[in-house]
Amino acid sequence: FLHSATSAAVTAALGPTLAGCAEKLIPKPGLEPELNVYNWSDYIGYETIQGFEREFGVRVNYDTFESSEEMLGKLLAGASGYDLAVPVGYSVPVMRERGLLQPLDRTRIPNLANLAPLFRDSPFDPGTRNGIVWQWGLTGIAYRRDLVAPPTSWRVFLGGEGGVDGRMTMLDDAREVLGAMLRMRGRSLNSADPAELVVAKADAVSAKAHLAAFVSAAVKGQLVTGDVWVAQLWNGDARQAQAEEPNVGFVVPEDGSTIFSDHMVLLAGCPHPHAAHAFLDYVLRPDVAAGISEATGFGTPCEAALPLLRSPVPYPSVAELGRLEYPMDLGDATALWDRTWTEVKAA
Ligand code: N2P
């Protein structure tokens, strides 16, 4: 299931003779020859992997996923062979409790000192025990400035002001869709109240009638081509679309929304722990961290990278933070949420 991250483009550029050398990486002393990384799609710098392979002599097998559920499902099925994975914050304690994580050897990651204080002691991983914050971001509404007025509320997806039937999408993500519907009604996006979830489900089903689809990664291209005009989306993905089409705008609705941190964690019993530590230290270098955020459009946890970024994602103001919530583990309510989402998808 793993494939090499050595891109075809690089191989082609180097030509057949030099490309052969790519097969003969010599790992730095103490490092395993390979590293298996499992990350969200479109969530890394253009040169991050190649730079690591070249400098450390470690071949990186890089796999991607589109949703937390997909990632967790694969890891819970066992024997994934991955060394590093990137769960959303609330999944870190869940994975720890299920025995999926192992503690970092922090002495092997001196660049932890480059983390912003805010991300050194995340509530999801106090003291950076199991991993590092990879990126942080917000969920909001991306829209085509040249085609529609800026949406102000999640109600746009229920045909509210600015809504355009068939030109709108929401994320293919239970937490985001039901969370937005809960916020729209003034509720917490972490609600475990069955009555509130009944309303959120009815709202999501109403929204579905106005949507082209529930879609995550692929919507960027649809915003660029103009097939989609209004999309629930993560801020970094919106920035990626904006880099191709300057008419893509992004707003955080008045009703409030999600703020999240995704964490790169070390998996229990992973086959290449030394290379994994070297990689975590490498991505916390200011220039490497800047390269990641420049490509993803998301916020960097590496404070030392901020001065290197052309337009760093500003940390939300106190007023904005008041409207934002971190998704938390739903505990016993997880089953109710899963069932509710299945019903929305089937409706
Ligand atoms: C990657 C978006 C991941 C952010 N394209 C969601 N946690």
Side-chain angles (χ1 to χ4, degrees), residues 4 11 28 66 75 131 155 157 162 175 180 192 200 229 256 264 271 323 328:
S4 172
T11 311
K28 279 194 170 176
E66 309 294 330
L75 294 184
R155 284 181 199 279
F157 294 112
R175 294 302 300 263
W229 299 357
M264 182 169 269
R323 294 188 283 140
M328 305 300 285

Side-chain angles (χ1 to χ4, degrees), residues 40-43 88 220 234 237 260 262 298:
W40 294 81
S41 62
D42 303 328
Y43 216 28
V88 62
K220 288 189 284 284
W234 297 300
D237 285 80
F260 62 83
D262 292 319
F298 286 101

